[in-house]
Amino acid sequence: MTQKSRQILLLLLWICLGTIFRFLNLDALPPWTDECATIAFSLGNSFQIIPLNEIINPEVLLTPLTPDPTATVSDVVHHLLTESTHPPVYFVLAHWWMKLFYPLEGQKLIWVARSLSAFFGVIAIPAIYFCTKLAVNSPFVAQISAAIMALSPFAIYLAREARHYTLGILLVIASLSCLIKAIQLLDKRAALPFWICLTWISINSLGIATHFFFSLTLLAELFVFLKIGWNQFHKNKKNLLQSHWRRIFLVILGTLIGCLVWLPILASIYHSPLTQWVADGEPRINWLEPILRIFLWWLSMLILLPTAFNNLSLWIVVISGIITLTFVIFISAKLISGFKLFAQNQENRLVIQALINHICGATALFLLFTYGLAMDLTLAPRFQFIYFPTIVVILAVSLGSYLQKKPQKLIVKLLLFLGIISGLTVVNNLGYLQQHRPDLLAPIIQEISRNPVLIATTHKHHGQTGRMIGLAWEFTYEISPRTNQSEPSFSPQFYLAHRSPETRSYDTSVKILSNQLQKIPFPVDLWLVDFRAEIDLEARECKANSDSYSRTGEYKYKLYRCPSVN
């Protein structure tokens, strides 16, 4: 077997492993808030059809997730731009993707919606291989980067959700590849081919039209060029006037034009209620928390052992933490040693230095937003997609350099073992990365309640609607089918108490809820879930259940038992 054949087979192995971890039990969890938004908008549906300040059944609440064969791409773009804060590329692709699998219902809908993200996640494996090979011209190091991408718990986590981040990662890899080629040519004082310039501009424009945070990737790339340009300017002030730099300026100008198209929408996003959650923290007071979170997100790019407090014993979490800390100390020494070995080689040094500057620039932007603008971008791990591929390349270079100089099969086996365990942790939802978990709260409601159930939440935008849709989905497609056929299906009702846009209070909607409760003659169990308003239930003589005031799966809940009306 030739060396080339071995390389192809090994790459296929990583692709197969990555595919298994991305598609295994893909429909196991109900959709969480952001996934509900992705599915609804991709189907061409609107959240505005959900009645507010009314008691509704699960079928009505699930309407945005009901496929409409007559919906068009125009509907997708219209509802997205009027109700959300995201650009349309991924949602249009998802619309066409789901059309291929009609009719859609229940678990099939969830699987199909998530499968597009999983598909892009699989493509990222060979993509990072070729990107790394372009950067360092080493098949061995490229294989390591493909293995990291295939088994990275962070990459698996993003690929298993119906969201646009894996497409974003693919576009980051593509833009990064153009950056690497440009730097290699700059080092030779050669001009970037015009077709690569156009390709790069197209990739960057497509990236912005996929996720607005892609702009942070572009700013980090600009930081790289500023540093290189500054160094060359000091050597010779005429360097920046040469043809090879003019092509770089062309790419920057073309990319800027591609970004400016979205400027009116970006201006409206800053004050949108949908984005205000990034200002919920107090990073200037609790200044250490964002740094620790970034460290955790970086760890999750390589290792993630069972740490879900919701459904694991404390001793399992503690052991996982000890193993993770031990691994970090062990592998850090190897990575530092490997990077020092690589630094001794002048070949490809400029490219790797540029990639490190890319990571530093992106991290600096995160810290600037977090501490300077009080917009904590570290609250969600998914935003790290903007420089995740760069970290994968640097990890592969460091580890590959170490193993080439000091081959150790034990380290390779250990990394593969921990990678597989990390992948299984994500697949079985035992990590800390998952958001709201309707599958954890719904069984609690079913177990405790013996009376008809009304679930109420306060509502500002479709984010809260999505949280309730997740619960409705779990009751409809998981709990009800498991209910004994001789018993009535467990089907709670829902109430979304909308905040008044004029007064910015819930007083009116809460008063309506209190009045409607008084009209229900039979006993009812009122579950207040993520309910952020005061409510007077004395007229209905509802009593708080002291055993049911808690939180699980990121939901806060409280149970009130309301007796029959005489």
Side-chain angles (χ1 to χ4, degrees):
M1 184 181 295
T2 65
Q3 182 67 22
K4 185 176 181 180
S5 298
R6 292 194 187 96
Q7 291 295 323
I8 293 174
L9 287 176
L10 190 55
L11 180 58
L12 288 175
L13 172 63
W14 306 132
I15 293 173
C16 288
L17 279 175
T19 301
I20 290 171
F21 283 122
R22 284 155 179 78
F23 281 91
L24 185 64
N25 295 329
L26 193 59
D27 59 352
L29 290 180
W32 70 284
T33 305
D34 286 6
E35 287 187 302
C36 290
T38 300
I39 297 170
F41 292 132
S42 298
L43 290 172
N45 293 336
S46 169
F47 282 96
Q48 295 178 354
I49 60 176
I50 300 295
L52 303 175
N53 300 335
E54 293 182 24
I55 295 177
I56 57 177
N57 58 40
E59 290 76 18
V60 174
L61 191 53
L62 289 171
T63 303
L65 270 58
T66 302
D68 179 4
T70 65
T72 65
V73 168
S74 297
D75 296 317
V76 175
V77 175
H78 171 72
H79 293 310
L80 186 68
L81 296 183
T82 55
E83 299 179 39
S84 184
T85 58
H86 290 296
V89 165
Y90 181 85
F91 298 86
V92 171
L93 293 176
H95 176 78
W96 289 332
W97 178 264
M98 288 190 281
K99 285 272 190 180
L100 297 175
F101 297 91
Y102 270 29
L104 295 172
E105 185 179 4
Q107 300 302 103
K108 182 182 177 183
L109 172 61
I110 294 298
W111 190 93
V112 170
R114 289 172 177 162
S115 65
L116 180 60
S117 177
F119 174 70
F120 286 136
V122 172
I123 295 178
I125 299 170
I128 199 67
Y129 170 87
F130 291 110
C131 178
T132 307
K133 192 175 180 181
L134 175 66
V136 295
N137 194 28
S138 169
F140 178 72
V141 174
Q143 290 288 355
I144 293 176
S145 69
I148 293 174
M149 182 64 76
L151 299 177
S152 166
F154 179 77
I156 296 171
Y157 149 71
L158 290 181
R160 292 176 59 83
E161 292 194 338
R163 299 293 287 154
H164 41 194
Y165 296 101
T166 51
L167 177 57
I169 286 174
L170 266 180
L171 294 170
V172 170
I173 294 173
S175 185
L176 203 62
S177 299
C178 294
L179 173 70
I180 291 168
K181 188 62 179 178
I183 292 171
Q184 290 172 341
L185 292 175
L186 278 178
D187 193 35
K188 299 175 183 178
R189 302 295 193 270
L192 193 65
F194 191 69
W195 70 269
I196 295 183
C197 293
L198 293 180
T199 301
W200 198 357
I201 293 171
S202 300
I203 290 168
N204 294 343
S205 300
L206 192 61
I208 289 291
T210 298
H211 198 295
F212 289 134
F213 275 14
F214 191 89
S215 58
L216 300 181
T217 293
L218 301 181
L219 288 174
E221 290 182 2
L222 181 61
F223 173 76
V224 170
F225 282 121
L226 287 174
K227 196 170 190 308
I228 295 175
W230 181 258
N231 292 335
Q232 292 198 5
F233 178 77
H234 270 279
K235 291 179 181 178
N236 186 342
K237 294 183 179 180
K238 294 182 179 180
N239 274 338
L240 299 185
L241 301 177
Q242 302 300 316
S243 60
H244 50 278
W245 271 105
R246 288 201 296 269
R247 290 293 173 89
I248 300 299
F249 296 147
L250 173 64
V251 172
I252 293 173
L253 179 61
T255 298
L256 182 61
I257 293 172
C259 294
L260 290 177
V261 173
W262 302 100
L263 193 59
I265 298 177
L266 283 168
S268 64
I269 287 175
Y270 183 77
H271 298 290
S272 171
L274 291 166
T275 60
Q276 292 305 304
W277 63 271
V278 297
D280 288 345
E282 296 181 333
R284 294 171 181 172
I285 298 175
N286 304 317
W287 61 270
L288 188 58
E289 290 183 4
I291 296 174
L292 292 175
R293 273 194 293 269
I294 288 180
F295 177 69
L296 287 176
W297 305 152
W298 283 0
L299 278 185
S300 70
M301 295 177 184
L302 196 58
I303 181 174
L304 178 65
L305 300 183
T307 50
F309 288 94
N310 289 312
N311 49 353
L312 288 175
S313 300
L314 180 60
W315 67 270
I316 295 179
V317 176
V318 171
I319 291 175
S320 295
I322 293 173
I323 294 174
T324 300
L325 183 60
T326 304
F327 170 78
V328 169
I329 296 172
F330 170 78
I331 201 64
S332 295
K334 310 301 180 186
L335 292 173
I336 293 172
S337 177
F339 195 80
K340 287 180 179 179
L341 289 170
F342 177 85
Q344 296 172 4
N345 184 0
Q346 293 298 320
E347 187 180 4
N348 303 313
R349 190 173 181 179
L350 182 62
V351 169
I352 298 305
Q353 184 60 53
L355 295 180
I356 292 174
N357 289 336
H358 186 266
I359 295 173
C360 293
T363 305
L365 287 169
F366 269 80
L367 297 178
L368 175 64
F369 273 87
T370 299
Y371 294 110
L373 303 178
M375 299 172 61
D376 195 346
L377 301 187
T378 72
L379 290 172
R382 56 188 180 270
F383 295 153
Q384 317 303 310
F385 84 94
I386 69 164
Y387 59 89
F388 168 60
T390 319
I391 288 182
V392 172
V393 175
I394 295 298
L395 286 173
V397 167
S398 300
L399 188 59
S401 299
Y402 180 83
L403 292 176
Q404 282 179 321
K405 292 290 184 179
K406 303 176 182 180
Q408 296 183 26
K409 292 183 178 180
L410 179 61
I411 293 180
V412 175
K413 291 178 181 179
L414 175 64
L415 290 172
L416 284 175
F417 174 74
L418 290 177
I420 291 173
I421 295 299
S422 297
L424 292 173
T425 297
V426 178
V427 169
N428 291 284
N429 310 303
L430 299 176
Y432 59 85
L433 296 175
Q434 181 60 40
Q435 303 294 327
H436 285 82
R437 292 283 301 274
D439 61 310
L440 298 179
L441 177 57
I444 293 175
I445 296 175
Q446 182 199 25
E447 180 182 356
I448 294 178
S449 287
R450 294 293 176 264
N451 298 318
V453 169
L454 174 61
I455 300 173
T457 190
T458 47
H459 179 274
K460 290 189 292 185
H461 48 70
H462 65 71
Q464 290 74 41
T465 307
R467 295 178 190 179
M468 296 301 104
I469 287 178
L471 284 171
W473 185 279
E474 182 69 14
F475 285 120
T476 302
Y477 294 107
E478 293 293 338
I479 290 181
S480 289
R482 292 197 300 264
T483 305
N484 191 309
Q485 295 300 316
S486 62
E487 300 177 359
S489 296
F490 193 89
S491 182
Q493 293 184 300
F494 294 84
Y495 183 92
L496 277 62
H498 185 58
R499 186 178 71 172
S500 170
E502 291 81 18
T503 64
R504 300 181 67 82
S505 75
Y506 299 99
D507 293 346
T508 301
S509 56
V510 169
K511 186 175 181 180
I512 294 173
L513 172 60
S514 299
N515 292 336
Q516 293 196 17
L517 277 172
Q518 295 180 41
K519 298 176 182 178
I520 301 176
F522 46 80
V524 63
D525 286 351
L526 174 64
W527 290 80
L528 300 182
V529 178
D530 292 338
F531 202 86
R532 306 180 187 280
E534 296 294 329
I535 181 170
D536 183 9
L537 298 172
E538 290 185 5
R540 190 62 167 80
E541 298 182 354
C542 301
K543 303 296 182 183
N545 188 331
S546 58
D547 297 332
S548 300
Y549 180 62
S550 187
R551 62 184 302 162
T552 187
E554 297 301 317
Y555 285 100
K556 293 180 181 179
Y557 62 89
K558 187 172 184 179
L559 168 61
Y560 287 87
R561 297 192 184 276
C562 305
S564 301
V565 177
N566 296 329

